[in-house]
Amino acid sequence: MDHSALFKRHGRSATTIATLVVLMSAGPAFAHTGGDVIFGFWSGFLHPITGLDHLVAMVAVGLWGAQLGNPAIWVLPITFPLVMALGGVLGISGVVIPYPEVVIAASAIALGLAVAFRITPPLWIAAVLVGVFAIFHGYAHGMELPGAADPVGFGVGFVTATGLLHLCGIAIGTLTRWPIGGRVVQACGAAIGCVGVFFLYSL
Amino acid sequence: MKTRFSVTACAAWAACVPSAAQAHLVDTRLGDFYGGALHPLSGFEFILPWLALAILAALQGAKNGRWVFLIFPLGLMIGAELSAVVPDLTFVPLLNVIATASVGLLVALGMALPLPLFVLLSAVLALVGGYQNGQAMAVDTNHLLFIGGVTAIGYGFIALTSALMLAFLDGRGGWRPIALRAGGSWIAAVAIMVLGFELARVIHAG
């Protein structure tokens, strides 16, 4: 069958039908489609997860909190998002913080080593260290926020992802109840430190 | 041949295009009620403060927390109507963010508040939430239906969520209040960042 001849012969009727299809299949217009909110949320949610340097550092915070035990196990994950938000505000407002990528890579190394060697400083030292790193992680996320489809959705997404990564770290950290589990957690810390070294070397 | 081609094309279109058939066309009668009920669910800036308040109410215990069931819907109603009477109060979005951050921080701290302060916070969040949702009303919107929708969803959400949180707190394990406090810190963190974003926008615009 000669398809080109067929389409040429019936070109007009096909165009008419196509026009009718377009006209009749139009859907209603909505003021709030929810698209921006969903895109904003997902872009924020994926930001810490797709960035391996962020991901390992967040998991390390949970691991270290679990190793340090009560009250660090809940103080660190509760204070981290709040301090991270302050860093986010710095990023949003355009304040320039030097070497954010270096400090983020260094955070993975420092936290990874702390877990690998089971370093147990006083709580305030651990909180200050984690807080300083939280500023830089929040700064990196905050720089992306003004360009997001929905800034509130982006904020909800990345705070939720960060919290869930902490929770993953805490869940893995519960292995410290068993001697062999403690070794596994320390090995995770060493691996996180190696990832940090890789990112530092890649800069 | 021409007829067969046209019939095939029409059949293909008829097979591909149809959408779901609606038995109850809400738009013809109660559309504005559903519009009001769904509007608070269209953005995190509406639902996040409600979630924070529901957790805070649960942390106050059943005796003090139940005041929110009265204050919140009343505040939503008044706030939504206020948006029609006094439109364009430009400080309301900023007030919403500040109130959300404050309630989130109070949840993160796990504080039991004096009852008057809790009632005041509930009223502020309700008025602001009602006002922001009420701003979606157009000239031809039926105010009674729309505000009824906002109030109904607000009451349902706050009642169910705070009751759920209270039941969650009653369970075994010291980690339960900590989990709620962590949730409060997440909400406060989001609100602080949005506050920074709004302030930066105001400064850059000025």
Side-chain angles (χ1 to χ4, degrees):
Chain A
M1 187 184 287
D2 185 353
H3 290 285
S4 63
L6 183 69
F7 277 112
K8 197 174 178 182
R9 257 196 301 161
H10 299 295
R12 193 187 292 172
S13 60
T15 307
T16 308
I17 290 165
T19 309
L20 277 172
V21 168
V22 170
L23 286 174
M24 295 177 77
S25 61
F30 294 103
H32 297 287
T33 58
D36 282 353
V37 177
I38 292 166
F39 287 133
F41 176 82
W42 273 113
S43 60
F45 190 82
L46 293 176
H47 201 252
I49 292 173
T50 51
L52 190 62
D53 46 351
H54 290 294
L55 187 147
V56 292
M58 297 305 102
V59 173
V61 170
L63 285 174
W64 202 27
Q67 268 187 343
L68 294 173
N70 201 22
I73 193 167
W74 58 270
V75 166
L76 296 185
I78 285 179
T79 53
F80 192 96
L82 293 172
V83 183
M84 187 177 70
L86 299 178
V89 171
L90 293 177
I92 291 163
S93 55
V95 174
V96 178
I97 295 183
Y99 310 116
E101 298 301 327
V102 173
V103 178
I104 288 170
S107 72
I109 297 171
L111 293 168
L113 289 177
V115 174
F117 292 105
R118 291 187 71 104
I119 297 169
T120 52
L123 180 61
W124 70 270
I125 291 179
V128 167
L129 187 67
V130 167
V132 169
F133 291 145
I135 293 274
F136 282 85
H137 283 271
Y139 179 79
H141 297 312
M143 282 171 61
E144 305 286 330
L145 191 136
D150 178 52
V152 185
F154 183 92
V156 172
F158 96 71
V159 169
T160 305
T162 300
L164 291 177
L165 289 172
H166 289 160
L167 207 58
C168 281
I170 291 171
I172 299 168
T174 54
L175 291 173
T176 50
R177 292 178 181 186
W178 299 277
I180 185 73
R183 295 288 179 199
V184 170
V185 170
Q186 285 180 284
C188 288
I192 288 168
C194 291
V195 172
V197 170
F198 169 76
F199 274 101
L200 198 58
Y201 183 73
S202 306
L203 291 172
Chain B
M1 178 66 83
K2 185 179 178 181
T3 310
R4 199 164 67 183
F5 179 77
S6 299
V7 169
T8 309
C10 280
W13 166 73
C16 295
V17 162
S19 55
Q22 305 292 333
H24 302 282
L25 296 173
V26 292
D27 287 347
T28 55
R29 292 191 67 189
L30 293 171
D32 288 331
F33 179 85
Y34 290 101
L38 290 176
H39 193 266
L41 309 176
S42 63
F44 285 111
E45 64 270 32
F46 304 122
I47 209 74
L48 218 53
W50 295 9
L51 180 62
L53 184 62
I55 302 174
L56 187 67
L59 288 172
Q60 305 311 303
K63 191 183 171 192
N64 286 353
R66 65 168 63 115
W67 278 91
V68 81
F69 298 161
L70 176 68
I71 302 296
F72 195 71
L74 271 176
L76 282 178
M77 262 195 286
I78 295 167
E81 189 50 37
L82 200 64
S83 71
V85 178
V86 195
D88 301 326
L89 292 178
T90 51
F91 64 87
V92 170
L94 209 57
L95 182 60
N96 182 41
V97 179
I98 292 169
T100 308
S102 307
V103 174
L105 282 173
L106 288 171
V107 171
L109 293 170
M111 285 183 71
L113 301 174
L115 183 59
L117 182 58
F118 173 65
V119 168
L120 180 70
L121 274 173
S122 306
V124 169
L125 275 181
L127 284 169
V128 167
Y131 189 92
Q132 284 197 299
N133 281 291
Q135 282 182 316
M137 289 190 289
V139 180
D140 58 343
T141 304
N142 184 320
H143 286 203
L144 188 65
L145 288 176
F146 190 93
I147 293 171
V150 171
T151 307
I153 194 76
Y155 178 76
F157 180 88
I158 211 84
L160 288 175
T161 312
S162 55
L164 193 68
M165 297 298 165
L166 206 55
F168 176 75
L169 282 173
D170 281 344
R172 282 184 185 175
W175 59 274
R176 288 168 188 265
I178 293 167
L180 291 190
R181 290 175 61 184
S185 79
W186 293 12
I187 293 170
V190 173
I192 288 168
M193 272 182 299
V194 175
L195 182 62
F197 176 68
E198 294 288 345
L199 290 175
R201 205 162 57 171
V202 168
I203 290 166
H204 287 140

